[in-house]
Amino acid sequence: MSKTIITQFLSQHGMYYGDLNFEAECQKFIEEMDKGLSTEGSSLAMIPTYLSVKNEIQMNKPAVVIDAGGTNFRVGLVSFDDNMKASVSDFSKTQMPGIARELSKQEFFGALVDHTKEVAEKSTDIGFCFSYPTEINKDKDGVLLYWTKEVKAPEVVGEKIGANLVAGLKEVDGKDRTVAILNDTVATLLGGKGITSHRVFDGYIGFIFGTGTNLCYIENVDAITKINDAEDQTMIINTESGGYNKLPRGIMDAKLDETSNNPGEYQLEKMVSGRYLGPLVQEVLKGAASEGIFSAECNKALLQLEGLELIDVSFFMADPHNQENVLVKCNAEEADTTLMYELIDAMIERAAKICAIKLSACILKTNTGRDMARPVAIVGEGTTFYKLKGYKEKLDYYMKAYLVKEHGHYYEFIKGEDLNLIGTAIAALS
């Protein structure tokens, strides 16, 4: 009975995972990928990286590695021995500039220089994992297209990230440096390739599911018609999949979007990623409470709920009777706990199904992984990917049911330590 109630409520509000047609949504995603690779225009940026998985790297030489993520800003050194074993040292971590308050261009790059200059004394090769939509050019610098993840530094939009950082460091010590800008998803793919050099895979996908969500894959250059200056036959493409806007959205999706810093943009990310899934669950719970789905006391408590984050949701799913949890405190009866658990589980399944759609679309588009002994390596990173209860199992279920059983494509999830750092160093030392 409770499952029927939840299913009907979510379906009526356009939020039910069962109403998503997997085949149709995969084909829509592929069509948008094709448009993004051309000059036609697409909600998928399909950014060429000018990076390949075939480049050789310099061994026994340190590279400065910078990781600007959704929450943290990390700096350190990475080098590789003759067996491609990575050595990581001199690492420090601080908050990502522009999260706490709005920064000017000068303040933003000044913060980057301040956090980087000490380590930058030890190498002139810099890999910068910059996890925001950035147009990469042939010299591997990048121009910020727009901010995501609620970073506030509007004057930086349109600026070359690498050139500004290198210029700031040169003012400090007068040294010339080279820098390679890449997305965290691309760094994860390269890192996965680095730790699996002994294996034979038919392709690689970098998949991020943490604060934000994104994926990249390896494309034949002939298919990238919007550029004509590629030097290799294949290239890693950063899809910027969080920007995809062809999925059917529900009422709660629209409400959350309206209150974000960038209404109308990054629609897929707001439907599934760690930054938004907590607030989205809050919208769904409030919507259910407003329709009297829970007990009277629980409905009242949920309607007053504010500031719900994914960590609260994750803890509830791991231990739905822990009285310290903000959601448990809203429940007055055991039936409330069951209804709330099933509703949140359905939202996690929706996120998993959407991510399975975009991963499957990449493999179908490239026609890779046809041989079970040479699958596509999906290199996964992100706290949400590994720690949100039920998510990875649900993702795997949809991909096996659709991609493997219906279409005969095979894949394998790859996990490793510090993959984005290793991949960023590979880009710097290529």
Side-chain angles (χ1 to χ4, degrees):
M1 180 67 71
S2 60
K3 284 187 179 295
T4 301
I5 292 171
I6 294 302
T7 298
Q8 289 177 345
F9 167 76
L10 290 173
S11 188
Q12 287 169 0
H13 293 81
M15 304 294 292
Y16 181 50
Y17 63 86
D19 293 334
L20 288 170
N21 183 307
F22 205 105
E23 178 82 39
E25 296 302 332
C26 265
Q27 292 307 313
K28 283 163 57 179
F29 198 90
I30 291 170
E31 289 171 8
E32 200 73 353
M33 292 173 75
D34 286 332
K35 290 178 181 177
L37 291 173
S38 72
T39 56
E40 188 173 344
S42 168
S43 63
L44 292 173
M46 303 298 286
I47 300 171
T49 65
Y50 293 91
L51 290 168
S52 169
V53 296
K54 298 178 180 179
N55 292 338
E56 294 184 2
I57 70 168
Q58 302 173 70
M59 302 296 189
N60 302 301
K61 181 180 180 181
V64 176
V65 173
I66 305 171
D67 177 24
T71 305
N72 298 315
F73 183 89
R74 301 187 295 167
V75 181
L77 289 175
V78 177
S79 61
F80 300 92
D81 65 17
D82 292 331
N83 297 315
M84 268 299 286
K85 183 178 179 181
S87 175
V88 181
S89 64
D90 293 78
F91 252 81
S92 63
K93 180 174 72 173
T94 188
Q95 187 182 52
M96 175 65 190
I99 292 288
R101 65 179 182 88
E102 183 172 313
L103 300 180
S104 66
K105 171 188 170 181
Q106 183 177 0
E107 289 174 322
F108 179 82
F109 286 109
L112 264 56
V113 170
D114 286 343
H115 296 319
T116 307
K117 60 186 180 184
E118 186 174 337
V119 175
E121 293 177 356
K122 301 179 181 180
S123 175
T124 57
D125 296 304
I126 301 175
F128 194 162
C129 180
F130 189 71
S131 306
Y132 303 90
T134 306
E135 181 178 357
I136 306 298
N137 51 39
K138 193 173 181 179
D139 64 4
K140 298 184 177 60
D141 200 351
V143 175
L144 176 65
L145 299 175
Y146 45 87
W147 287 114
T148 57
K149 306 166 192 170
E150 310 294 318
V151 175
K152 300 173 284 294
E155 291 179 8
V156 179
V157 174
E159 290 289 331
K160 282 190 172 184
I161 302 303
N164 277 283
L165 172 63
V166 167
L169 289 171
K170 189 170 184 176
E171 288 182 7
V172 174
D173 61 14
K175 293 181 181 179
D176 292 318
R177 292 176 171 86
T178 61
V179 62
I181 302 290
L182 65 163
N183 183 273
D184 58 344
T185 321
V186 178
T188 295
L189 185 155
L190 288 173
K193 177 66 168 68
I195 67 167
T196 60
S197 57
H198 60 290
R199 290 280 306 275
V200 178
F201 288 104
D202 196 29
Y204 284 84
I205 292 175
F207 176 50
I208 299 291
F209 191 67
T211 303
T213 183
N214 193 16
L215 62 84
C216 66
Y217 73 106
I218 301 167
E219 182 62 87
N220 290 321
V221 166
D222 291 344
I224 314 170
T225 58
K226 64 182 178 182
I227 62 170
N228 57 13
D229 56 352
E231 296 179 350
D232 295 310
Q233 293 182 336
T234 60
M235 183 185 295
I236 300 171
I237 295 292
N238 168 20
T239 66
E240 285 298 331
S241 63
Y244 183 68
N245 64 9
K246 304 303 179 185
L247 283 166
R249 293 197 304 165
I251 292 173
M252 289 75 175
D253 293 313
K255 285 185 177 180
L256 177 66
D257 183 33
E258 290 168 3
T259 62
S260 68
N261 281 355
N262 51 354
E265 299 177 5
Y266 263 59
Q267 291 183 15
L268 184 148
E269 183 163 289
K270 292 170 187 173
M271 296 169 75
V272 302
S273 76
R275 169 66 179 81
Y276 297 100
L277 195 52
L280 184 59
V281 166
Q282 178 177 289
E283 289 287 351
V284 172
L285 289 172
K286 285 189 169 187
S290 70
E291 297 187 14
I293 285 180
F294 304 99
S295 68
E297 188 175 339
C298 183
N299 289 331
K300 182 179 179 181
L302 286 173
L303 288 171
Q304 296 173 348
L305 183 65
E306 296 294 340
L308 188 70
E309 297 182 2
L310 186 58
I311 190 170
D312 303 312
V313 174
S314 187
F315 284 164
F316 172 78
M317 297 303 286
D319 187 1
H321 295 91
N322 188 327
Q323 293 300 317
E324 297 300 314
N325 186 273
V326 63
L327 290 176
V328 176
K329 292 177 181 178
C330 293
N331 293 333
E333 303 173 6
E334 187 61 30
D336 292 329
T337 302
T338 300
L339 284 165
M340 186 179 292
Y341 194 96
E342 291 180 354
L343 189 153
I344 295 173
D345 185 70
M347 290 300 296
I348 294 172
E349 182 142 354
R350 179 178 185 246
K353 188 173 184 179
I354 289 171
C355 290
I357 287 168
K358 65 179 185 175
L359 286 167
S360 297
C362 280
I363 294 174
L364 290 172
K365 183 184 186 307
T366 54
N367 195 30
T368 47
R370 284 291 192 181
D371 183 345
M372 186 182 288
R374 297 175 68 248
V376 175
I378 301 177
V379 190
E381 276 280 81
T383 302
T384 310
F385 180 65
Y386 290 107
K387 293 191 176 180
L388 179 60
K389 184 177 181 181
Y391 170 81
K392 190 172 182 296
E393 292 78 9
K394 295 176 190 296
L395 175 71
D396 202 34
Y397 164 79
Y398 281 108
M399 293 192 66
K400 284 180 178 175
Y402 177 75
L403 191 66
V404 177
K405 292 183 179 179
E406 291 191 24
H407 288 274
H409 293 266
Y410 300 92
Y411 66 92
E412 181 179 330
F413 285 108
I414 302 297
K415 182 180 180 181
E417 296 294 326
D418 297 320
L419 290 182
N420 64 331
L421 303 181
I422 292 170
T424 302
I426 289 173
L429 297 171
S430 293

